[in-house]
Amino acid sequence: MYDYDLLVVGSANADLVIGVERRPDAGETVLGSDLVVHPGGKGANQAVAAARLGARTALLARVGDDAHGRLLLDSQRAAGVDTAGVLVGGAPTGVALITVDPSGDNSIVVSPGANGRLTPDDVRAAGSLLQAARVVSAQLEIPLETVGEVVRSLAPDSRLVLNPSPPRPLPDEVLAACDPLILNEHEAKVILGEAYAGEKPEDWARLLLAKGPRSVVVTLGGEGALVASSEGVSRIPAVKVRAVDTTGAGDSFTAALAWRLGLGESLSDAAAYAARVGAATATREGAQVSFPTAQEVAAL
Ligand code: RIB
């Protein structure tokens, strides 16, 4: 009945990546590796990750009419993503400046560029894409009003998966549509704001659920993840790997979770699968170039 297992509405960035021995403090200069340019952006990453796993995937995004935009479109098409919804022009393609340390942890600064020009009108104009998607996923590297319009444009039986990254307070209308809201500890603190309390991640998960989403997934890095819904809170164990670069691991986790939920899996089963996908991603450098196929996930 649906043409797409997943429609991703979100950002596309050129990732300018430098490896460093340690990330610099304020006012400090450090030397790093040669610069590498990878296709990235949380939205574009989710689309490639889902398509590589075998999901019928489309992307609604905006890139600049420039070399970075072409790099991103090429990466989407090579993965099999339908790019009919990718708009071109209006501003330079988004750029992410990324440093990665030897533990695989990163720091990222994003210049949104064209991502910031993906408007509610663009969402309304892509109504047929939204009506054709079983699951829609979004993040917050695009304007919040645009995400609000996505919520209002969902097909009656489709499902919204939101990773509020980078985090900011969310309107009730958006929170109520999330099934699930997927976030890490840092994002949970921002979304909870003054409601943040309790030391255990289980406490945050319950507090987040009380803010209105239909379900919540809290990712905990090496500690796995928590899933929370009206059925309770349960923990998904971490999948242990030797991390080389965690860039994009959260995006491939979200994409895999969204896809498996659309196939009818339970939240716990979908999160357990997504944890394997995220772990496999961290074993290779870069974002989109590091996403596994379904065969590689099975072999992990
Ligand atoms: O989540 C990783 C992504 O965050 C990178 O690819 C970068 O572009 C930023 O959007």
Side-chain angles (χ1 to χ4, degrees), residues 11 13-15 39-42 45 96 98 108 110 141 247-248 251 287:
S11 59
N13 298 326
D15 287 355
K42 296 182 194 307
N45 289 350
I98 303 180
I108 304 179
V110 171
E141 288 181 339
T247 308
D251 304 327

Side-chain angles (χ1 to χ4, degrees), residues 107-133:
S107 297
I108 304 179
V109 178
V110 171
S111 166
N115 300 309
R117 274 73 162 188
L118 188 71
T119 64
D121 276 348
D122 294 331
V123 173
R124 282 189 282 274
S128 58
L129 269 184
L130 278 126
Q131 293 300 309

Side-chain angles (χ1 to χ4, degrees), residues 39 58 70 77 103 123 159 170 205 211 254 279:
R70 288 185 280 283
R77 289 172 182 150
S103 75
V123 173
R159 179 169 194 153
L170 296 173
K211 287 185 84 77
T254 298

